[in-house]
Amino acid sequence: MEDVVLWLRNVTKEYGTGRARVLAVDDVSLEVRQGEIVLVMGPSGSGKTTLLSMMGCILRPTDGNIWLRGTEVSALPEGALAHVRRRHIGFVFQSFNLLSSLSVWENVALALQIGGTRGEAGARQAKELLEAVGLGDRLDSLPADLSGGEKQRVSIARALANSPSLLIGDEPTANLDSENGRRVADMLTTLARDQGRSVVIATHDARIMDVADRVLYLVDGRLAKKPRVHQG
Ligand SMILES: Nc1ncnc2c1ncn2[C@@H]1O[C@H](COP(=O)(O)OP(=O)(O)O)[C@@H](O)[C@H]1O
Ligand SMILES: [Mg+2]
């Protein structure tokens, strides 16, 4: 099990209490190996974002355990958890989450700085990361001047800033047209295949299914064996 990057055991997440209680993730166990691309599919409200937030150490489980590279992150205090998050995990969100007043280059350089890479080294790495996603000629642009596909490529460059072993994408293609969606999916595939990063993508976009090594289906917070057709 040397190559297991992420391991979830009987993970549950509840929001609220009493009558407002929602069981968003219900007893999920799974593992993600190095270089593997895992897709998490399921209808809206099935618990994809909640599951990914726990995988990414943004949210703690109500119950169960999570190990990242052999460390039980579900047991870490907040400060140590934040450190793990910055050092080992990269996020790509549906809504891009770029800082609008910073240039493309500054957005990536800031992420590097937060991870401890500053000055010359940070400047050079930010440029290299943006060149790698085909945006070497847009370094000084503001996010508002980019297309959706370009913005998502900036956020991929930013997610890679601290060379994470785990990359998490929450519906990364939801706001993109097919061509850009395909391009982003290809880029994530390359990261797994060529750089050995583990990639977990939540999506209900069946178009990106063919890049996955494994597809998990969530139904009402539980892992299902097969896709289930929603009965209206
Ligand atoms: N912060 C929250 N507080 C209360 N309920 C939440 C919160 N976030 C999500 N939920 C609920 O948890 C369930 C799973 O949501 P979510 O993880 O966002 O699913 P998905 O990403 O698949 O749409 C839904 O019923 C949703 O309404
Ligand atoms: Mg979601």
Side-chain angles (χ1 to χ4, degrees), residues 15-16 20 22-25 42-51 170-171 218:
Y15 294 111
V22 176
L23 188 53
V25 169
S44 180
S46 60
K48 301 184 296 297
T49 294
T50 303
L51 183 64
D170 193 359
E171 313 230 14
L218 270 186

Side-chain angles (χ1 to χ4, degrees), residues 27-162:
D27 195 24
V28 167
S29 296
L30 60 86
E31 55 197 42
V32 179
R33 293 171 180 278
Q34 191 194 348
E36 194 177 30
I37 302 178
V38 177
L39 238 58
V40 179
M41 300 195 76
S44 180
S46 60
K48 301 184 296 297
T49 294
T50 303
L51 183 64
L52 262 62
S53 301
M54 291 190 286
M55 288 175 160
C57 303
I58 292 176
L59 198 65
R60 280 173 197 282
T62 307
D63 225 327
N65 316 79
I66 302 176
W67 287 265
L68 179 71
R69 297 158 52 101
T71 299
E72 193 192 340
V73 289
S74 47
L76 289 178
E78 191 48 47
L81 195 65
H83 177 80
V84 167
R85 194 161 56 221
R86 284 196 300 267
R87 182 66 195 83
H88 298 296
I89 302 169
F91 296 95
V92 179
F93 300 99
Q94 168 178 352
S95 51
F96 317 127
N97 290 12
L98 300 175
L99 294 170
S100 59
S101 61
L102 298 185
S103 72
V104 161
W105 177 82
E106 287 168 328
N107 266 278
V108 179
L110 178 63
L112 281 158
Q113 195 178 322
I114 290 168
T117 309
R118 298 157 195 277
E120 281 286 298
R124 181 171 32 83
Q125 282 182 38
K127 188 163 173 276
E128 285 169 2
L129 285 163
L130 285 159
E131 282 166 354
V133 297
L135 291 173
D137 56 346
R138 306 302 301 268
L139 300 179
D140 296 320
S141 302
L142 288 172
D145 298 325
L146 303 181
S147 71
E150 288 170 331
K151 281 184 210 166
Q152 200 55 304
R153 283 189 271 145
V154 177
S155 75
I156 291 174
R158 181 186 55 183
L160 292 172
N162 299 303

